[in-house]
Amino acid sequence: MPNRIKDIFSNEMYSFNSQLYFKDEDSYKQFLSAVQTVQEEGHVVPVDGITKISTKVNNNGSSFPLEEQTSIINCVVGPVSEPVTVSVDVGGNKRNILFQRQRIKDKVIISSRHNDIVFFVFSFIPDQEKHTVSYRIQYDKAKTIEELAESFCIAEALISQLYKKETPAIDKNTVSVIDLQKYFHKQKSLLERLLFIEREYAISIDPSLLSDLSVEEQQEIDELYLLLTIHKPVRFNGKLTSTEGTKITLYDGSSKSVIGSQIELTFSGTIDFDILGQTIRMYTANLLENAIVKDIKKEKNGNTTIFYGDTDSKPMFISFSAFKTEAEASIEHKRIMEHKTDYIHALSSDNYIKEYYT
């Protein structure tokens, strides 16, 4: 009797046992094949032909029926996973990153959770001093640009912590660790620039749009961010050409210009950026430099039209400052000539933007 009472109040953990019932022998064989596939490849496999699942609880040598399912619609077989936590230093703060570990026939796989934005898969083969790392970016899992940027920041920190920078690539079809670090760093920086634009203009951009970001769209983001933060003149990218439209009209008819002389022109303008479906306008104050008077015509109405172009040795160029409001651009337009050397010696936006990627 004492032993029986001891068994009743035992702290021994109970266990579950399930039995599967199949429609026929072929269904049973297909199930065994699915189990083998799971063991060899480590992914979920759907199975058909299961008619009943009976679950029992086992405790102290006794078995008790728990549940019975007979309406089986969808059934899958998958590998057993166990949680693994990796502590990562992200900007001086400790972050615990949760992974799933699976053991299959000839390898151990550690992967991110299925809802993680940056999804990693680390595949280890026992008794071999090498493993593979793969990743994919699940833009649709992010709710905001800020969340997306944070995920790239964590990914960069994780790779930096796990590997030395000099870890070589195995072959020409793979990338080195340092290349992977650079990728996450550059993407994080781009997203931080986009996040700055979002906040500056109080707009919201769908993160999923970044899954197919073109080079031109990336350039738009970079240039708009530059103009919002640089606070000094930028030279227009590209070469200006003389056309019939390169002229100015003086409505009072007065002009001291002569053909062949050099003129400087200041004017206001606008520049529009298409940022992932959002159109953002900035207002500009501009200086046209190295313009040469090509022709002067007196109009019948008393106005004077000056046609201008440039020379091969001194091509025309435009430098400009950009502002969020028209009023700010107007103020700068009036004072351009007070510090025109800043405009004359301005660098192109490409010169500044390349620093984002070094």
Side-chain angles (χ1 to χ4, degrees), residues 253-267:
S254 61
S255 173
K256 296 180 180 180
S257 299
V258 296
I259 294 175
S261 64
Q262 182 172 314
I263 58 173
E264 295 172 319
L265 300 176
T266 64
F267 58 96

Side-chain angles (χ1 to χ4, degrees), residues 135 137 139 152 179-187:
Y135 71 92
I137 311 302
Y139 289 96
F152 275 96
D179 288 335
L180 194 56
Q181 288 175 312
K182 286 180 178 178
Y183 168 76
F184 287 123
H185 179 76
K186 290 176 181 179
Q187 291 299 309

Side-chain angles (χ1 to χ4, degrees), residues 3-30:
N3 288 336
R4 182 60 178 164
I5 294 175
K6 181 179 178 181
D7 289 341
I8 293 173
F9 293 98
S10 171
N11 290 325
E12 182 181 345
M13 188 63 183
Y14 56 82
S15 63
F16 293 96
N17 176 266
S18 295
Q19 281 186 296
L20 305 181
Y21 298 83
F22 298 91
K23 181 175 62 176
D24 50 36
E25 186 176 355
D26 285 341
S27 298
Y28 175 64
K29 290 180 179 179
Q30 289 174 7

